[in-house]
Amino acid sequence: MFQLKLFLCIGLYLFSVVSAEKSGADLLPSRHVCGKQEENRIYGGEETIIGEFPWMTLLELRFNNKRHFICGGSLINNRYVLTAAHCVKHKVSSVRLGEHNLASEEDCYGGEDSGLQYCSDPPIDIEIEETIVHEDYNPKKVGSIGDIALLRLKQEVNYTDFIKPICLPISPELQNKNYTGLIGIVSGWGATENKSESDVKLKVEAPITSNERCAKLFRVLGKTIEDSHICAGGVRRENFCNGDSGGPLMYLDRTPDEENWINIGVVSFTVTVCALERVPSVYTRTTEYMPWILAQLKP
């Protein structure tokens, strides 16, 4: 009788976990919506063009009646932003969406007299309703596992050409994919919890390296690389020093029917001197935390 009750309890628990994940997945946008941008607006180089990576967000902190941007993040649906746990150890007040150039009120390209001028909508700031930090995160340890957090916004976001969600790796193919050897992209304004580097949103390629190689490099520095990490970068002067703490490591996934940008990592930590040649940076591996992410989402 005891064994039967135990079996039933385990079954009910597993059913509740699966149901929670299914419910969370239902709240994410489909691949017809997420990870999309205007392809003809993309060009090479470090500086992005208006409308590129429209899921990129900035986290805002207010003190002394001033606004400070401390980290980045990525919009994953109309109520949630995914970021790093170390970015929210200070109370973040709001999130900025649809930004391109922090120095200008209106972002445009093309001359006014040419008739070809293209301008984005003004960025918007939305207050945060709830901050959810992974239970494994240790704020006293740099490079802690569980360096991931969700921000629930106070109101729903309306998608536009300049504000869209990025896809998460919810399919079995993306969750089981070995990304080693592929090229990721990191984007942002250079904002970390300590400083900001650029007014204009930047982008940089980040070659993805194996965890085994990454672990050997970081072992010398006294840091441990876990399965829940993913390593990318190592090109001299090109790394997430040109991106944001909390921002996404992005991978362009192509299928016969769709082409979507996928968030496969969250900027976590690097060596003290960033962008060293042959030394990758470390990201929280999104695929490892998908059950946790889906379990937190609510309408």
Side-chain angles (χ1 to χ4, degrees):
M1 187 68 176
F2 173 77
Q3 289 180 331
L4 177 60
K5 288 183 178 180
L6 180 62
F7 177 79
L8 289 173
C9 287
I10 293 174
L12 287 172
Y13 171 75
L14 292 175
F15 176 78
S16 65
V17 170
V18 171
S19 297
E21 288 189 10
K22 186 177 187 302
S23 176
D26 290 342
L27 295 174
L28 293 175
S30 73
R31 287 189 61 144
H32 296 299
V33 176
C34 67
K36 299 284 191 181
Q37 60 185 1
E38 297 297 327
E39 297 298 333
N40 60 353
R41 296 182 192 162
I42 301 173
Y43 65 97
E46 288 190 352
E47 188 172 309
T48 63
I49 199 167
I50 295 170
E52 193 169 3
F53 310 130
W55 40 83
M56 297 298 302
T57 67
L58 282 160
L59 276 54
E60 300 177 335
L61 187 69
R62 289 179 182 270
F63 58 90
N64 296 331
N65 294 319
K66 292 183 179 179
R67 172 182 290 143
H68 300 267
F69 296 113
I70 63 166
C71 274
S74 54
L75 187 70
I76 61 170
N77 76 355
N78 60 9
R79 288 297 293 269
Y80 286 89
V81 167
L82 184 65
T83 187
H86 76 261
C87 286
V88 296
K89 58 187 177 185
H90 306 294
K91 186 173 177 59
V92 178
S93 59
S94 57
V95 168
R96 173 163 289 190
L97 305 166
E99 183 60 275
H100 178 71
N101 188 342
L102 291 165
S104 60
E105 293 186 8
E106 185 178 43
D107 298 328
C108 302
Y109 71 85
E112 291 184 27
D113 299 330
S114 68
L116 299 174
Q117 189 179 49
Y118 180 80
C119 298
S120 66
D121 299 332
I124 62 172
D125 299 316
I126 300 182
E127 292 184 357
I128 295 168
E129 180 178 274
E130 182 182 10
T131 300
I132 310 161
V133 176
H134 195 278
E135 54 272 14
D136 290 340
Y137 177 66
N138 180 358
K140 297 180 180 179
K141 181 182 178 182
V142 176
S144 169
I145 61 172
D147 189 11
I148 193 168
L150 285 165
L151 303 175
R152 178 174 168 84
L153 305 179
K154 278 191 176 181
Q155 63 189 65
E156 289 189 359
V157 175
N158 294 319
Y159 300 151
T160 70
D161 286 344
F162 313 102
I163 300 175
K164 295 179 182 179
I166 192 171
C167 296
L168 293 182
I170 58 176
S171 70
E173 292 79 14
L174 289 171
Q175 290 195 32
N176 297 323
K177 192 178 185 69
N178 182 355
Y179 295 93
T180 300
L182 301 177
I183 299 295
I185 298 288
V186 187
S187 179
W189 294 260
T192 70
E193 64 276 22
N194 301 314
K195 60 183 178 179
S196 182
E197 296 289 351
S198 172
D199 288 329
V200 179
K201 182 167 57 179
L202 304 174
K203 64 178 178 181
V204 67
E205 288 189 351
I208 300 167
T209 190
S210 69
N211 276 29
E212 291 76 17
R213 176 179 177 275
C214 190
K216 290 179 181 177
L217 293 169
F218 278 89
R219 191 177 298 127
V220 178
L221 303 171
K223 299 189 183 299
T224 303
I225 301 300
E226 306 284 354
D227 290 341
S228 58
H229 291 133
I230 184 170
C231 299
V235 179
R236 185 171 177 78
R237 299 189 183 279
E238 292 187 7
N239 218 328
F240 72 61
C241 290
N242 290 338
D244 286 357
S245 290
L249 173 63
M250 301 175 283
Y251 167 70
L252 184 58
D253 182 58
R254 293 183 173 93
T255 70
D257 301 318
E258 297 287 347
E259 184 173 281
N260 308 79
W261 287 97
I262 313 293
N263 180 324
I264 61 171
V266 177
V267 177
S268 183
F269 69 96
T270 186
V271 293
T272 304
V273 180
C274 64
L276 288 179
E277 191 172 5
R278 294 188 296 277
V279 179
S281 298
V282 184
Y283 303 75
T284 301
R285 188 181 289 264
T286 310
T287 53
E288 291 291 314
Y289 291 92
M290 281 307 302
W292 177 82
I293 292 171
L294 296 178
Q296 310 311 312
L297 301 183
K298 58 186 180 182

